[in-house]
Amino acid sequence: KVASDAARNRHLILQDANGWTINNFNSALQLADGQIGVIDISGCTTSKDENYMIEFWFKGEPQSATASIMSVGDGLIDIRQDGNNIELAYANKVYPLTTTSCLDNQWHHLALNVLKNGMGSVIVYLDGTAIKQLSAKDFPALAANHIYLGAKRDIIAGDETTYQHVYSQPFKGYFDEFRYWKGHLTSELIRQNMYHRIKDNAIAMQAYYPFEKTMIDSYHQTVYVPALSNNCGQDRPDFK
C-alpha cells in the first residue's frame, strides 16, 4: 500500500492497509496455549429491544482448526475463523462473512453493529467496510454474563442440579481496543473512531479495554503502561 505525498511526491510505502502506529506506548492482549479473555457484562446486559455494538482489533496467524475470535455467553453468538472463512453463528445458523482469511499476521478491525429499533439490522464491518447485513429480528440480545475473546464456551449437561462448562475453538493471537457500546453507531463513526483512542466518558460506552492506562511517572510525565482494567470509568469488573 502507498500513502501518497501530494506536495513533493515523496510517497510512503506501508506494510499493509492497517499498518498504523500511535506516537506513544501501545500494548495489546496476547492469547496463546488455550488462554481466554473474559469480559464480565453481567451488569450491563441488553434487553431484546436495545441496540448495541462490539468492536475490537485482532491479529493472528493461520490456525490449525476452527478458532473463535469472539463469542458471547454459552455459544449465544460466535464469530470464528473456519478455514479461509470468517463466520457468524447464532441460533443454529451460520453466515459466512468473508471468503478470505484474516489470519494473515496483520491487524484487522471488526465491528458487530446491532440495531434493534424499527425493522432492525445486524451489520458486520471489517476494517471499516460493511461486509454483511442481516435482519435483527432473531438476533440475540447480550443477555449473558460474559463475552469471550479467543474461545467459545458451551454447557455440558449434568443432572438436574449440576452442569459443566467446556471451552473450545481456541484462538491464538492478539486483541486491542475492545469496546462495547449500548447503542448503534453509524458507519461514519465506526470508521472515524477505529484508529483513535476513545474518551473514558464517551456516551453509551459500557466497557473499554485499550489494554493500557495512563500514569504520571516520577518525572511528572504522562506515560502509558499495560493494564487489563476497564477504562470507561463505570463500575464494571476488570478484564479476567
Side-chain angles (χ1 to χ4, degrees):
K1 303 294 181 179
V2 177
S4 299
D5 178 1
R8 297 180 180 273
N9 293 321
R10 294 171 179 170
H11 307 310
L12 176 65
I13 298 176
L14 303 176
Q15 182 179 10
D16 71 288
N18 293 316
W20 58 283
T21 60
I22 298 177
N23 63 351
N24 50 30
F25 178 87
N26 185 47
S27 62
L29 174 72
Q30 182 179 11
L31 299 179
D33 301 322
Q35 294 172 318
I36 303 168
V38 183
I39 299 171
D40 190 324
I41 60 168
S42 58
C44 51
T45 57
T46 66
S47 71
K48 63 182 181 64
D49 298 319
E50 288 185 296
N51 306 330
Y52 64 88
M53 191 182 84
I54 297 171
E55 61 173 326
F56 54 89
W57 286 88
F58 71 98
K59 180 175 76 168
E61 297 179 354
Q63 312 286 300
S64 59
T66 300
S68 285
I69 300 170
M70 184 212 73
S71 64
V72 178
D74 296 316
L76 192 65
I77 302 170
D78 184 24
I79 297 178
R80 64 200 185 201
Q81 183 84 37
D82 186 11
N84 285 330
N85 301 324
I86 290 184
E87 300 175 339
L88 170 62
Y90 68 94
N92 296 317
K93 304 173 184 176
V94 179
Y95 294 93
L97 301 179
T98 70
T99 56
T100 302
S101 176
C102 291
L103 301 184
D104 52 5
N105 207 31
Q106 303 294 337
W107 283 104
H108 295 282
H109 182 267
L110 191 144
L112 177 67
N113 204 15
V114 180
L115 175 65
K116 288 285 191 174
N117 299 336
M119 296 296 292
S121 64
V122 177
I123 304 178
V124 181
Y125 294 82
L126 183 67
D127 297 333
T129 300
I131 58 172
K132 192 72 172 183
Q133 181 168 339
L134 303 167
S135 170
K137 180 180 179 181
D138 300 323
F139 200 79
L142 291 186
N145 289 331
H146 300 98
I147 294 173
Y148 300 98
L149 299 181
K152 175 176 176 283
R153 190 178 84 161
D154 293 302
I155 292 177
I156 298 178
D159 60 28
E160 294 180 352
T161 59
T162 65
Y163 59 86
Q164 293 180 310
H165 291 112
V166 61
Y167 294 92
S168 62
Q169 301 176 183
F171 170 82
K172 182 179 180 181
Y174 299 84
F175 292 89
D176 202 2
E177 289 289 322
F178 179 94
R179 304 164 188 171
Y180 160 36
W181 306 80
K182 191 178 276 192
H184 178 270
L185 275 67
T186 65
S187 58
E188 181 180 359
L189 276 175
I190 293 172
R191 288 189 290 269
Q192 177 179 311
N193 291 339
M194 59 189 282
Y195 291 108
H196 300 279
R197 288 191 175 101
I198 301 297
K199 292 183 178 180
D200 297 351
N201 60 351
I203 296 174
M205 183 178 286
Q206 301 298 304
Y208 178 27
Y209 297 92
F211 301 112
E212 66 248 356
K213 65 180 180 180
T214 58
M215 294 184 64
I216 304 299
D217 66 12
S218 58
Y219 299 99
H220 305 289
Q221 302 291 319
T222 300
V223 296
Y224 288 89
V225 296
L228 296 178
S229 55
N230 183 359
N231 275 29
C232 74
Q234 302 186 36
D235 185 18
R236 302 280 184 260
D238 282 352
F239 195 94
K240 298 179 182 179

